[in-house]
Amino acid sequence: MPHVEPLSGWGRYPVRDCTVWQPGTAEALHAVLPPLASSIARGNGRSYGDASLNGDATIDMRRLDRLIAFDDDSGELVCEAGVLLSDLVGCFVPRGWFAPVTPGTRLVTIGGMIASDVHGKNHHGAGSFCDHLLWLDLDLGDGRVLRCSRTENADLFAATCGGMGLTGVIVRAAFRLLRIETAWMRQRTVRARDLDAALALFEQSLDWTYSVAWIDCLARGRALGRSAILLAEHATVDELGSVHRATPLVRAQRKPKAVPLDFPGFALSGFNVRLFNQAYHAMQRPGDALVPLDPYFYPLDALSDWNRIYGRRGFVQYQCVLPLASSASGLRAMLERISAAGAGSFLAVLKRMGPPSFGLLSFPIEGYTLALDFPATPDNLALLDRLDAITADHGGRVYLTKDARMAPARVAQGYPRLDEFRDLRARLGLDRR
């Protein structure tokens, strides 16, 4: 039976009272959906905004978490949508396999990764997660369960990949894992003195499989956009030292440290953020190193409940992507606006994106994406409206998975295939649900 509970995304803003259903099997899910006039699927609640909140019916998918089949030759995995990426990593890294694309946390479900068409530090070469998806089974909620792929119900497949759960509930999926030799990364750290230098380094490093930059969003003047860029490749056995060569696929893990309380508002003052950014920049020493897989891909997972740092009122993450031709001017305008407001983010991340995905509402376009966290205050929400305008003026878009406050008109501006998405929903009767 359902129950009512307050829910939020990872940003803890906004909070909504939702009627929650938690089916334990695909058959139970199939029985729950038809009577519901309105519903949304929810994975592990790690999307930052309000994407998985529905007051009428929120479908908690975490009990549909079975691994169904795996081919150890091809790496093809079939699993239910509620499988956590953390369980997949824990199960398959020791066998020499890793996710072909991973977001910055492993505490997400496979269904959520598909609905968000997540991208990672290798998007410039590997594309987004749905580029590696073979097929999915979709429960439309009206009695139909359809197999969707590039050759079967292809239009629904394109609408579901990145479709934010608005085409139905993903039940199970198949995709191929990436073969690896070790649980270690060969990392190179490079400092960039300003934004122009950071973008030049990204362009010179496109032959690296993985790349990401931390960017000081409060730096001003000549230091505007100063960054530390982390490049990486999966290390081979031959690159390991003798200590780890005997157990190359054993992950070096530490128990996550807990944030025991909600931080007070003054902890996130512009002064404190500026000090943190200066110290963090100084810590990123240039050079090469072997680092464990988890700290490179999932640094924040080492701190459980880190969202409490932003206090009880919560926070919003702003992530946009700008086309390659306008990235430099757009990013400069954003950083100048943020720095002038004194509203810098502890966690500002810059990545190079490759060609767009096939999903109708998929986020990536070729260019640069910037992600920042801000406490959910009236001043910051007003600032994000101004960042929306800069994004739109430069031909970019805001990531729907991270959003909790964007105006509807901005969605239409940033996603030119939105009408195609709406037409498909209408044709299949999904707009009535």
Side-chain angles (χ1 to χ4, degrees):
M1 292 297 294
H3 64 279
V4 177
E5 66 174 293
L7 293 177
S8 71
W10 184 245
R12 304 171 77 190
Y13 171 88
V15 179
R16 296 283 184 264
D17 287 332
C18 298
T19 300
V20 179
W21 297 77
Q22 194 177 44
T25 65
E27 293 74 22
L29 170 69
H30 191 59
V32 162
L33 292 177
L36 302 176
S38 175
S39 62
I40 197 71
R42 177 180 173 92
N44 203 34
R46 298 294 288 222
S47 58
Y48 285 76
D50 55 2
S52 63
L53 308 182
N54 185 309
D56 294 334
T58 298
I59 313 299
D60 185 339
M61 295 291 291
R62 287 176 296 178
R63 291 178 62 193
L64 277 78
D65 60 352
R66 297 162 183 85
L67 300 175
I68 298 170
F70 181 67
D71 187 322
D72 206 35
D73 292 322
S74 67
E76 182 176 334
L77 173 67
V78 180
C79 68
E80 290 184 321
V83 168
L84 286 172
L85 178 60
S86 58
D87 292 336
L88 187 152
V89 170
C91 178
F92 288 102
V93 166
R95 299 172 64 171
W97 298 95
F98 188 58
V101 169
T102 176
T105 175
R106 61 182 184 274
L107 301 174
V108 294
T109 62
I110 298 303
M113 291 171 66
I114 297 169
S116 298
D117 195 13
V118 296
H119 58 276
K121 299 174 178 67
N122 59 345
H123 188 273
H124 59 280
S128 54
F129 183 75
C130 290
D131 290 318
H132 302 267
L133 192 62
L134 301 175
W135 54 261
L136 59 87
D137 287 341
L138 187 70
D139 194 322
L140 275 62
D142 59 4
R144 291 176 291 176
V145 179
L146 301 180
R147 175 68 54 91
C148 303
S149 69
R150 288 169 179 78
T151 59
E152 190 174 1
N153 297 306
D155 54 351
L156 190 54
F157 187 63
T160 302
C161 292
M164 303 305 296
L166 299 177
T167 58
V169 179
I170 300 164
V171 181
R172 62 186 68 83
F175 53 95
R176 285 195 177 93
L177 299 180
L178 174 72
R179 192 181 292 277
I180 57 174
E181 290 187 29
T182 77
W184 293 81
M185 305 300 294
R186 176 167 53 85
Q187 177 181 290
R188 175 170 296 171
T189 303
V190 186
R191 281 183 183 171
R193 65 182 180 276
D194 56 25
L195 179 62
D196 288 339
L199 297 182
L201 282 167
F202 269 112
E203 295 303 314
Q204 294 164 14
S205 305
L206 292 176
D207 55 338
W208 283 78
T209 300
Y210 301 99
S211 61
V212 63
W214 165 86
I215 187 168
D216 183 352
C217 59
L218 282 181
R220 300 182 180 183
R222 293 182 178 179
L224 183 77
R226 67 177 178 179
S227 309
I229 300 173
L230 305 178
L231 310 171
E233 301 286 350
H234 289 283
T236 64
V237 173
D238 290 341
E239 291 172 324
L240 299 186
S242 56
V243 173
H244 301 293
R245 197 170 293 170
T247 55
L249 290 167
V250 173
R251 291 163 60 209
Q253 298 182 83
R254 294 181 179 178
K255 184 178 180 179
K257 296 181 179 179
V259 177
L261 49 80
D262 295 321
F263 278 31
F266 66 81
L268 297 172
S269 68
F271 176 76
N272 286 341
V273 174
R274 195 179 301 277
L275 285 180
F276 172 84
N277 283 350
Q278 290 173 352
Y280 191 84
H281 182 74
M283 290 169 54
Q284 305 306 306
R285 297 183 178 181
D288 293 354
L290 283 174
V291 300
L293 180 149
D294 287 75
Y296 182 78
F297 288 107
Y298 315 116
L300 290 177
D301 286 352
L303 196 62
S304 64
D305 299 323
W306 64 262
N307 54 356
R308 302 187 71 181
I309 292 172
Y310 288 90
R312 293 183 181 179
R313 63 189 173 189
F315 72 99
V316 289
Q317 182 167 105
Y318 187 84
Q319 184 168 3
C320 65
V321 61
L322 303 176
L324 198 57
S326 61
S327 286
S329 59
L331 290 170
R332 185 171 291 105
M334 287 187 182
L335 292 172
E336 288 173 348
R337 176 72 71 173
I338 293 165
S339 182
S345 167
F346 281 110
L347 305 167
V349 176
L350 183 67
K351 292 196 291 282
R352 173 63 153 86
M353 306 291 276
S357 302
F358 64 90
L360 301 188
L361 297 186
S362 289
F363 171 68
I365 56 176
E366 187 163 16
Y368 283 87
T369 177
L370 178 67
L372 315 103
D373 294 342
F374 297 95
T377 65
D379 286 346
N380 284 340
L381 294 175
L383 170 65
L384 298 188
D385 288 339
R386 294 191 285 273
L387 297 187
D388 283 346
I390 295 172
T391 297
D393 290 344
H394 289 79
R397 61 178 59 152
V398 172
Y399 196 8
L400 300 177
T401 294
K402 306 293 181 70
D403 178 62
R405 27 66 51 201
M406 180 171 47
R410 295 298 189 193
V411 183
Q413 282 180 306
Y415 290 85
R417 302 184 74 183
L418 180 60
D419 285 343
E420 187 179 347
F421 181 83
R422 287 171 169 160
D423 290 345
L424 181 137
R425 275 174 43 87
R427 177 160 48 85
L428 293 175
L430 301 174
D431 57 338
R432 298 189 295 273
R433 303 186 62 82

